[in-house]
Amino acid sequence: MTAKRHDITAADEDEESEEYDHEVDHPPDADVSPTVTVATALAAVLEESPMELSPPIESVVDTDALCEHVEESADLGDRLTFEYRECTVYVHADGRIGIEIEELPDPSRSVPDKIRRLVEDRYIPGTGTEQDQRRQSILASYRYLRDRGSARRSDFIQAIYPRYPGAYDIPHGGWWETVVKPGLGACPDVAKGNSMWYYVGN
């Protein structure tokens, strides 16, 4: 896959208070580089493994400039931006990293046909649009678990619910108890422990 390498550009200071779709912090005493923190944040948004992001971060942006901006910049009010797939990434000099998502990834992407058919055939409460959104919640949760190997309920709520709420105002109750929990439980390659969910497929 050929990727266009983007120059990092400075953003206006009056946009400093902007809220992002996804946000993380890179602390000064972090054990990893700002590039790794950015890659991990993008992987969470795109529901992929950081090691399997395609194209690689370094083929899209000048990672030396990115690291220098966070680790050496004297102006903590400054931020840099670059585009990565359907995301715009904002890297602040104080270590704040924000991601704006142009379009949510299709949760059915790379899900086995048997799992997709199982979810499509499953009874889901709600109207037609709500049912479609709630099936996306199950598929996104399945992909998240498959990529991580194991997860707690709180992990699904933190990582999946904000992007795939399924027309529920809160994650507890309907979203988890009525949709995601039983949906995951119906998947043959998912196992439930006392407090953990496990992916047990190949």
Side-chain angles (χ1 to χ4, degrees), residues 21 156-165 175:
D21 294 326
F156 293 108
I157 289 175
Q158 181 178 7
I160 304 302
Y161 172 76
R163 284 167 288 156
Y164 300 95
W175 184 83

Side-chain angles (χ1 to χ4, degrees), residues 70-91:
V70 175
E71 297 171 344
E72 302 179 19
S73 177
D75 184 358
L76 296 182
D78 191 17
R79 76 175 184 184
L80 303 176
T81 68
F82 67 93
E83 303 293 325
Y84 184 87
R85 286 164 51 176
E86 61 261 41
C87 301
T88 302
V89 182
Y90 301 87
V91 182

Side-chain angles (χ1 to χ4, degrees), residues 47-49 52 142-150 199:
E47 301 169 17
E48 298 177 9
S49 166
E52 297 177 357
Y142 173 87
R143 286 190 56 201
Y144 176 76
L145 180 62
R146 183 197 61 191
D147 293 343
R148 287 176 57 100
S150 64
Y199 177 72

Side-chain angles (χ1 to χ4, degrees), residues 13 15-28 34 37-38 41 66 69-70 76-80 89-100:
E13 292 185 5
E15 296 178 356
E16 175 70 20
S17 61
E18 181 178 350
E19 294 184 0
Y20 302 110
D21 294 326
H22 184 78
E23 183 176 325
V24 298
D25 288 315
H26 179 84
T37 301
V38 169
L66 188 156
H69 172 69
V70 175
L76 296 182
D78 191 17
R79 76 175 184 184
L80 303 176
V89 182
Y90 301 87
V91 182
H92 296 253
D94 62 2
R96 180 182 173 213
I97 297 168
I99 299 176
E100 287 290 329

Side-chain angles (χ1 to χ4, degrees), residues 11 17 20 49 57-58 60 64 94 99 124 137 145 147 150 157 173 183 192 195 197-198 200:
S17 61
Y20 302 110
S49 166
I57 295 292
E58 58 268 22
V60 176
D64 289 338
D94 62 2
I99 299 176
I124 302 292
S137 299
L145 180 62
D147 293 343
S150 64
I157 289 175
K192 174 68 168 66
S195 61
W197 291 81
Y198 301 94
V200 295

Side-chain angles (χ1 to χ4, degrees), residues 3 23 29 36 42 56 76 86 100 124 127 134 137 141 151 196:
E23 183 176 325
D29 58 349
V36 173
L42 280 167
L76 296 182
E86 61 261 41
E100 287 290 329
I124 302 292
T127 63
R134 290 165 187 175
S137 299
S141 297
M196 296 287 292

